[in-house]
Amino acid sequence: MVPRPAVTRMLSEARDGLVVVTAPAGYGKTTSVALWADTDERPFAWVRLDHLDNDPAHLLLHLATAVDQVHRVDPVVLDYLRGAGRSAETQLVPAFVAALEECGPMVLVLDDVHELVAASVDALRALVDMAPTSATLVLVGRHVPPFDLARRRLQGGLVEIGVPELKLSGPEGAAAFAAVGGNTDKSTVAKVLAKCEGWAAGVTMAALALRDGATADALTGRHRLVAEYLIEEVLNHLDPATAAFLIESAVLDRFCADELNAVLGRNDSAAMLDAITRSGNLFLVSLDAQGIWYRYHQLFGDLLRTRLRDRDPARFRMLATEAADRLARGGDIDGALVQALAADDRARAAALVGGDAVRLGFDGRAGILARRLSLLDEQTFTEYPDAAIARAWLGVTTGDADLIQRSLLMASAADHGEPLADGTPSVEVAAALIGSLVGVGGVREVVRHADTVRDAGDHLVNPWWGAATTMKGAALSMLGDPVQARALLESVLPVIDELPGFHAAALAHLAVLDLDDGDLTAAVAHSNNARAIADSRDLSDDVPMVVVYAVDSLIRARRGDISGARAAVRATERLLDRLGDLSARTALLGHVLVAGTAVDVDDTELCERHLDGAERAHRREPDAVGVERWLEQSRALAAARAARGRRPALTAAELRLLPHLATHLPLQRIAGELTVSRETVKSQTKSIYRKLAVSSRTAAVAEARRLGLLSDA
């Protein structure tokens, strides 16, 4: 016995009227009422009903005999109830009610009330209506015959206990484990409770299984203890037609009548679901108040699917395949994947995973891609290019060079010259798109790979034209061709909204070109848009977003937002660490931009660290002459600051402000020309005064000229 304080408290509040306790087999209905009886001072008379009680006269005599066990019933009444030929509702029920009135306060429990049918139900309904207030009637069963419960709810005097109340809580689950000598570790108990959905019999069987060496993961509807119980207590009590419907409908994890009709080829699913619900098989769980969508209890569903798979594997595969098709058409890719795997259809499973792998990777949902890939076995990656290419894209987003290489080799070996599920014309084009992003052979190889993808058609027929054009534009920028680079990057913006990762990258590379042109206003706009996409789509862990956060750090530094710049630097450094040696050109650009940020925020150690990183990456990317000037500028600024010794160095933002201080323009006008706020100009001016050890604008200009920071012109 496991104490059920919450349920016992609810039952104890029933001092008269009717109590209804309904739940499937094994939820502890009878046990809960017995625990209530232990705490209540009133006598409890118990009746366990069976098929013999479907004779109203036998039923009422059975009830009277049970009452006689706890409070003596007049023998004359018992003899009267034994008499033949009397009307149950007009003669026998009133006689029994009169006997109850003589007994005083008591509780009469009718267990397994679902066994009653027809005339006995009418007799019991009459008894419920006529019962004295001193008697509390308790109906316990898997379902309760129609007793006008809706009316009784409105009138009060009805206490209902169902599955939600009977589900075991955490402490109750732990007590059940302890009762059989099982493991009471909280995490194990919680895992079992979740799998069993609080089903008391399931929790107890799990505790027994774990005590004997099983694991929590092994607890399914296929486990011997669980399967035997459900077969004996549920399936064996069903007619063959209902059992067949249950077994086949369990192919779907959640379903409605229309979906079952379509998948199973039936036209009576609504009627079957209604009948099963009314029969009290509450292992069929309604998911809404309207009774439209359903699912099965996890363990019961496991058992049903196993029986279909074992008894008719061909039928199981056919139904699972049909379910996969319907779910995929409805956009439920995860559900469709589960069905395809259940049908052992590797080709379909690979296509489902590959269909939106690129979009998941560059839409902040790489975790979903990783989870789907984890469901596939190694044979699927070996035999189907869709799966292998999808795994390569996961490697791109996580910076796993080994995973990319292995997956591309598998895709090539399995290539039969057919298009991929995501619309890519061929494995060659898919590999080229990945190559354009990774650029293992250098920045010129990026251009070559991008052209391979672009040659497969424009954005109207080729889903990856925009992605490849972004990569080519970024590569041309690094090769020192800013005009062509800008033309490509600007041309792609209108057609790349559906690929937010590539969209953010295109904007970030445009911001770099803007900075190179000295157009801070345009750079701010492009960088802010890129950062907004990356943040809103949760792309901060995608390695290709290095350029987005790196250029954001530099622009923030130049606008005087030091804390924002440092936060963006931290994000960039995290991505650079994950990038490793995967893409030298990406590492080069990231290190150079952060080195520039370090110069602006006057952080010598940060600058030196990223200059070293940029030098290493540049040795692997010697053709990236477009970035070389940035590298040389940062190196020269760092050297100049080192040469000035201990005097505090002015940041790049402060150096840009200094010539304006030599004019007679007010701070508001200076702020407008520098496209920063007046407060930023004010704080930078104070910083200049402090670093030059002066207290006025005139003195600052004079000291700057003396130090050679300003010319006399």
Side-chain angles (χ1 to χ4, degrees):
M1 286 288 219
V2 172
R4 307 294 308 275
V7 176
T8 302
R9 186 165 53 252
M10 292 181 66
L11 290 169
S12 297
E13 293 173 357
R15 306 308 298 179
D16 56 29
L18 182 65
V19 176
V20 175
V21 183
T22 54
Y27 268 93
K29 302 181 291 296
T30 302
T31 302
S32 297
V33 176
L35 289 168
W36 169 30
D38 289 341
T39 64
D40 199 303
E41 72 282 0
R42 294 173 294 176
F44 275 62
W46 287 78
V47 176
R48 176 65 61 86
L49 303 174
D50 57 31
H51 66 283
L52 297 177
D53 293 300
N54 280 314
D55 175 353
H58 185 282
L59 170 64
L60 292 166
L61 180 59
H62 192 175
L63 298 180
T65 304
V67 171
D68 188 53
Q69 302 298 312
V70 296
H71 191 287
R72 188 175 182 277
V73 175
D74 188 338
V76 174
V77 173
L78 293 176
D79 288 340
Y80 182 81
L81 292 174
R82 292 190 185 97
R86 295 188 177 96
S87 167
E89 293 184 44
T90 61
Q91 294 176 300
L92 299 182
V93 171
F96 177 62
V97 169
L100 279 181
E101 290 176 339
E102 294 295 325
C103 293
M106 70 173 303
V107 179
L108 175 57
V109 181
L110 287 75
D111 206 351
D112 287 343
V113 71
H114 55 270
E115 296 283 355
L116 298 183
V117 296
S120 288
V121 171
D122 294 336
L124 184 55
R125 183 186 296 110
L127 171 60
V128 170
D129 288 338
M130 298 169 61
T133 57
S134 59
T136 299
L137 269 60
V138 183
L139 308 182
V140 182
R142 298 179 186 180
H143 67 95
V144 174
F147 286 147
D148 301 324
L149 295 185
R151 174 176 57 83
R152 296 179 187 280
R153 291 188 191 101
L154 292 175
Q155 294 174 343
L158 173 64
V159 175
E160 294 180 277
I161 304 293
V163 169
E165 293 78 22
L166 292 172
K167 286 182 177 180
L168 294 183
S169 65
E172 290 167 348
F177 268 65
V180 298
N183 179 7
T184 55
D185 172 68
K186 284 187 177 180
S187 63
T188 301
V189 173
K191 191 171 186 177
V192 168
L193 279 172
K195 275 195 170 187
C196 294
E197 302 184 36
W199 178 39
V203 173
T204 304
M205 288 184 284
L208 290 169
L210 266 64
R211 184 194 64 185
D212 295 339
T215 65
D217 291 330
L219 181 68
T220 67
R222 300 181 298 277
H223 191 282
R224 177 181 57 80
L225 290 175
V226 177
E228 289 177 355
Y229 184 91
L230 289 172
I231 291 169
E232 291 176 5
E233 294 293 333
V234 181
L235 288 182
N236 287 351
H237 293 268
L238 300 174
D239 63 86
T242 301
F245 176 81
L246 286 172
I247 289 170
E248 290 199 345
S249 61
V251 169
L252 291 169
D253 289 331
R254 60 190 298 272
F255 45 82
C256 65
D258 289 342
E259 283 206 347
L260 288 179
N261 283 339
V263 173
L264 305 182
R266 305 179 67 110
N267 59 13
D268 62 345
S269 295
M272 293 296 293
L273 290 172
D274 182 60
I276 292 168
T277 301
R278 286 187 287 104
S279 75
N281 183 352
L282 298 183
F283 285 110
L284 174 66
V285 182
S286 178
L287 298 177
D288 54 57
Q290 294 75 34
I292 297 174
W293 287 93
Y294 295 88
R295 69 171 177 84
Y296 289 113
H297 185 287
Q298 294 179 65
L299 300 183
F300 191 55
D302 279 345
L303 171 67
L304 296 175
R305 284 185 288 273
T306 300
R307 286 174 76 82
L308 179 59
R309 186 186 292 112
D310 292 346
R311 293 183 173 187
D312 193 346
R315 175 69 172 167
F316 176 82
R317 286 193 297 272
M318 186 192 77
L319 294 178
T321 299
E322 175 64 26
D325 286 342
R326 288 187 60 82
L327 290 169
R329 288 196 297 270
D332 184 359
I333 303 302
D334 289 310
L337 177 59
V338 169
Q339 295 295 342
L341 292 171
D344 199 25
D345 190 342
R346 287 189 171 89
R348 191 183 304 270
L352 288 166
V353 173
D356 56 0
V358 182
R359 289 178 174 82
L360 289 176
F362 287 89
D363 195 9
R365 295 178 291 166
I368 296 176
L369 176 58
R371 175 171 52 75
R372 291 178 182 174
L373 288 168
S374 70
L375 299 176
L376 306 183
D377 59 17
E378 201 62 28
Q379 183 179 347
T380 303
F381 295 110
T382 302
E383 295 180 357
Y384 300 101
D386 277 313
I389 291 294
R391 192 163 65 171
W393 277 112
L394 180 64
V396 170
T397 61
T398 59
D400 190 334
D402 179 61
L403 184 62
I404 295 171
Q405 183 179 13
R406 285 190 293 109
S407 299
L408 290 179
L409 287 174
M410 286 182 177
S412 178
D415 184 15
H416 297 297
E418 298 175 353
L420 299 182
D422 62 1
T424 306
S426 66
V427 170
E428 179 188 7
V429 171
L433 182 60
I434 293 173
S436 72
L437 196 64
V438 177
V440 173
V443 69
R444 295 191 184 279
E445 279 292 284
V446 171
V447 175
R448 185 179 70 82
H449 286 310
D451 281 338
T452 297
V453 180
R454 284 161 50 85
D455 289 344
D458 63 16
H459 69 279
L460 297 176
V461 296
N462 178 1
W464 312 124
W465 179 88
T469 301
T470 299
M471 294 300 97
K472 183 175 181 178
L476 290 177
S477 174
M478 300 188 76
L479 286 169
D481 187 355
V483 176
Q484 181 65 13
R486 183 179 291 278
L488 287 172
L489 291 170
E490 289 179 345
S491 72
V492 83
L493 294 181
V495 299
I496 204 169
D497 284 343
E498 292 185 2
L499 295 172
F502 287 100
H503 192 180
L507 289 166
H509 283 290
L510 281 170
V512 173
L513 291 172
D514 295 333
L515 288 174
D516 208 25
D517 292 340
D519 189 347
L520 182 61
T521 301
V524 168
H526 282 134
S527 179
N528 285 350
N529 288 339
R531 178 68 188 265
I533 291 172
D535 289 347
S536 66
R537 297 299 189 121
D538 197 21
L539 299 173
S540 59
D541 289 329
D542 284 7
V543 170
M545 294 297 99
V546 165
V547 63
V548 173
Y549 291 95
V551 74
D552 180 60
S553 74
L554 180 56
I555 289 174
R556 288 178 183 273
R558 292 196 174 177
R559 300 187 72 195
D561 180 7
I562 306 304
S563 62
R566 289 192 176 278
V569 165
R570 289 192 294 272
T572 306
E573 289 184 325
R574 186 181 72 254
L575 293 177
L576 285 171
D577 287 342
R578 295 181 63 189
L579 178 67
D581 296 328
L582 179 60
S583 175
R585 83 183 200 289
T586 303
L588 172 60
L589 185 57
H591 283 302
V592 165
L593 292 172
V594 173
T597 302
V599 171
D600 276 16
V601 301
D602 196 20
D603 189 331
T604 302
E605 188 277 331
L606 179 67
C607 184
E608 290 178 351
R609 187 167 74 248
H610 283 279
L611 283 176
D612 289 344
E615 293 284 1
R616 291 192 300 273
H618 190 38
R619 286 194 289 271
R620 296 168 54 210
E621 275 287 9
D623 292 332
V625 295
V627 186
E628 190 170 356
R629 186 177 63 79
W630 288 73
L631 179 58
E632 291 174 351
Q633 183 183 43
S634 296
R635 193 186 297 123
L637 283 171
R641 293 194 172 185
R644 285 200 292 270
R646 297 177 59 85
R647 177 183 291 277
L650 300 186
T651 67
E654 291 163 355
L655 288 172
R656 281 192 297 277
L657 170 61
L658 197 54
H660 291 79
L661 294 181
T663 70
H664 296 291
L665 296 175
L667 294 186
Q668 185 65 51
R669 176 77 177 275
I670 295 173
E673 294 196 0
L674 293 176
T675 66
V676 297
S677 69
R678 184 181 184 282
E679 290 303 312
T680 296
V681 172
K682 186 176 179 181
S683 66
Q684 290 176 352
T685 300
K686 289 182 178 179
S687 178
I688 291 172
Y689 290 177
R690 177 178 54 79
K691 291 179 179 180
L692 298 182
V694 297
S695 58
S696 70
R697 184 167 172 173
T698 302
V701 171
E703 180 66 6
R705 284 176 174 155
R706 187 184 71 79
L707 294 172
L709 299 176
L710 274 177
S711 65
D712 292 330

